[in-house]
Amino acid sequence: MRVGQVRVNGRTARQLPLLQSVGPAVRLSILDERLRGTKFISLEPKSVLNSPQQTGVDFWSLNPYIGCEFGCTYCYARYAHRYTVERAHDAGRLSDAEFQEFRGPHGWEAFEKRVFVKEQLLGTLERDLRRYFRSFGPTNHPPAPIVIGTATDPYQPAERRFRLTRGILERLARCEGLNVGIITKSPLVARDTDVLRRIQERSDLEVHISLNTVDVGLIRQVEVRSPMPAVRLRALKRLADSGIRVGLIVAPVLPGMTDDVPHLEALFQAAREAGARFVHAGPLRLYPAVRDRFLPMLEERFPHLVARYRRAYEGRSGAPRDYARALAARIKKLQVRFGFPVNEGMADRYGRRLAPAQGELGL
Ligand code: SF4
């Protein structure tokens, strides 16, 4: 999954919200630890709700965690985690040895094993909401959307214990006239059906279940610990049956792996059967921080695709323009065939700057 990608000061805007919310006071107390070595670390952010001015995209965004145990090899949010760890080291809150331990041998492991938890974020959210409402003048209605989970999964395993996303939703349920989006791969979202229904009574709400293939074998090649497709689809159905506006986000579509018609058809069919209201999709973006993790995986498991990817993404993060265009046409045909709204995707709902970008890959 993942949205928004404008370059700001050398960083992508999707990364920036996390970076800005970290603030100077990283308090590195360990809140919990798993047997397999994952640690959950307390973080006190200065703000949690990031404005469009901060991020360069047309919506406000909120991410309760930095890092994610699901460990998708294409996840771009590793950069923000690395930045958080580097800032803690620079501020003297991590020794050199701890810094190495927090980064892991290749620099990307810590994203999955050292998860920062924005504890006590409700007080911060209260201040941020005042800022949010102040930002709307009489000409600025309806308010810009608030999207939860633009960078890391708000229903990742940590949420079972810390319940930060639930707390945020409880607060938003007390507001009126909002436009709220949630993006997740986790069936845990169905736990919060009650509060989602309350939000939907007073505001617009859309839940995006992220899934890029129903092929169980393939998904484990590219996503280390994510919930299985059937589990995600069951959660989608549960939400749909409860009257929640829910759909599928197929992102990223992986060239040569998940972009063929049979793969996509199977996804559309499954979405239809589960009661999805929409399906939208976007191609892989290969940011520098993603390459370190994704390309070695490709070399090991899909060696026949390595040259193709290197050629296609040489000197760019976005998929080649012709490829993006061909994929969009394929998705549009499937939307029509399966009776979903055409071109109703993140870009249409949350902002102009989310449209797929640039550059030849051949579907
Ligand atoms: S679930 Fe989302 S945030 Fe978590 S690793 Fe996968 S892409 Fe990244």
Side-chain angles (χ1 to χ4, degrees):
M1 75 192 166
R2 313 306 57 175
V3 278
Q5 40 279 121
V6 177
R7 298 286 302 178
V8 179
N9 296 333
R11 297 183 184 114
T12 66
R14 294 174 70 195
Q15 293 155 350
L16 202 61
L18 284 169
L19 310 187
Q20 290 185 332
S21 66
V22 167
V26 180
R27 189 164 54 80
L28 295 177
S29 57
I30 308 292
L31 300 170
D32 200 2
E33 198 166 345
R34 292 201 199 286
L35 281 177
R36 70 162 177 255
T38 305
K39 289 179 183 169
F40 299 93
I41 304 127
S42 171
L43 184 70
E44 288 181 10
K46 284 197 297 186
S47 70
V48 289
L49 188 56
N50 304 287
S51 69
Q53 291 72 31
Q54 286 171 289
T55 60
V57 290
D58 292 341
F59 52 85
W60 292 62
S61 55
L62 215 166
N63 293 284
Y65 305 97
I66 302 179
C68 179
E69 282 188 285
F70 288 156
C72 307
T73 56
Y74 51 74
C75 181
Y76 65 81
R78 291 168 201 279
Y79 181 90
H81 188 279
R82 189 165 72 207
Y83 183 82
T84 304
V85 171
E86 283 172 0
R87 284 193 73 176
H89 179 238
D90 292 349
R93 294 184 177 91
L94 282 178
S95 68
D96 289 349
E98 286 168 329
F99 177 61
Q100 287 309 324
E101 198 260 336
F102 264 63
R103 292 198 68 222
H106 303 99
W108 51 257
E109 292 89 343
F111 176 80
E112 301 165 22
K113 295 188 170 171
R114 301 288 179 268
V115 177
F116 291 99
V117 178
K118 296 180 184 175
E119 261 202 316
Q120 317 296 336
L121 57 62
L122 290 181
T124 312
L125 177 63
E126 211 55 55
R127 282 197 303 277
D128 288 350
L129 280 174
R130 284 199 288 276
R131 182 167 56 101
Y132 171 78
F133 286 116
R134 265 201 314 272
S135 73
F136 299 112
T139 54
N140 263 357
H141 281 281
I146 296 175
V147 188
I148 303 169
T150 55
T152 55
D153 201 304
Y155 284 101
Q156 59 179 282
E159 173 63 15
R160 276 189 203 284
R161 162 160 185 190
F162 298 106
R163 298 172 72 89
L164 300 185
T165 302
R166 169 116 195 155
I168 292 163
L169 296 179
E170 292 276 9
R171 178 62 189 89
L172 297 184
R174 286 167 34 214
C175 300
E176 274 189 12
L178 298 179
N179 178 351
V180 179
I182 300 171
I183 308 167
T184 182
K185 285 184 167 72
S186 172
L188 187 57
V189 63
R191 175 198 69 185
D192 292 342
T193 302
D194 58 333
V195 65
L196 293 171
R197 288 178 68 163
R198 274 189 274 132
I199 291 176
Q200 202 169 256
E201 280 166 15
R202 295 172 154 207
S203 298
D204 279 351
L205 171 72
E206 212 165 58
V207 177
H208 305 256
I209 301 291
S210 170
L211 179 65
N212 58 5
T213 178
V214 291
D215 182 331
V216 171
L218 178 55
I219 217 156
R220 255 315 151 260
Q221 301 290 317
V222 295
E223 299 175 2
V224 181
R225 291 173 216 93
S226 64
M228 283 286 110
V231 175
R232 291 184 229 182
L233 289 162
R234 263 203 305 276
L236 195 158
K237 181 162 181 6
R238 211 173 131 193
L239 292 173
D241 289 348
S242 305
I244 304 294
R245 184 172 163 79
V246 60
L248 210 61
I249 173 169
V250 186
V253 175
L254 300 169
M257 289 188 230
T258 65
D259 61 354
D260 56 284
V261 172
H263 254 109
L264 294 169
E265 273 176 346
L267 267 175
F268 274 73
Q269 180 67 38
R272 184 80 281 164
E273 287 167 5
R277 302 276 291 273
F278 54 85
V279 178
H280 50 85
L284 173 73
R285 290 170 188 273
L286 214 47
Y287 295 111
V290 181
R291 288 172 194 247
D292 292 348
R293 177 69 179 103
F294 187 79
L295 291 179
M297 181 283 297
L298 204 65
E299 276 159 14
E300 186 192 327
R301 298 173 186 171
F302 303 90
H304 59 290
L305 291 175
V306 171
R308 178 179 171 187
Y309 271 70
R310 287 200 190 281
R311 215 170 36 243
Y313 287 95
E314 189 180 1
R316 63 161 77 88
S317 298
R321 189 183 299 279
D322 289 352
Y323 177 85
R325 209 176 280 137
L327 179 65
R330 182 171 287 179
I331 295 298
K332 188 174 174 180
K333 271 191 198 157
L334 289 166
Q335 286 169 329
V336 171
R337 212 175 107 202
F338 285 90
F340 291 113
V342 172
N343 289 338
E344 187 183 304
M346 302 297 284
D348 305 289
R349 187 165 172 83
Y350 297 125
R352 296 177 302 279
R353 303 186 211 176
L354 302 180
Q358 329 77 69
E360 266 109 299
L361 202 49
L363 277 166

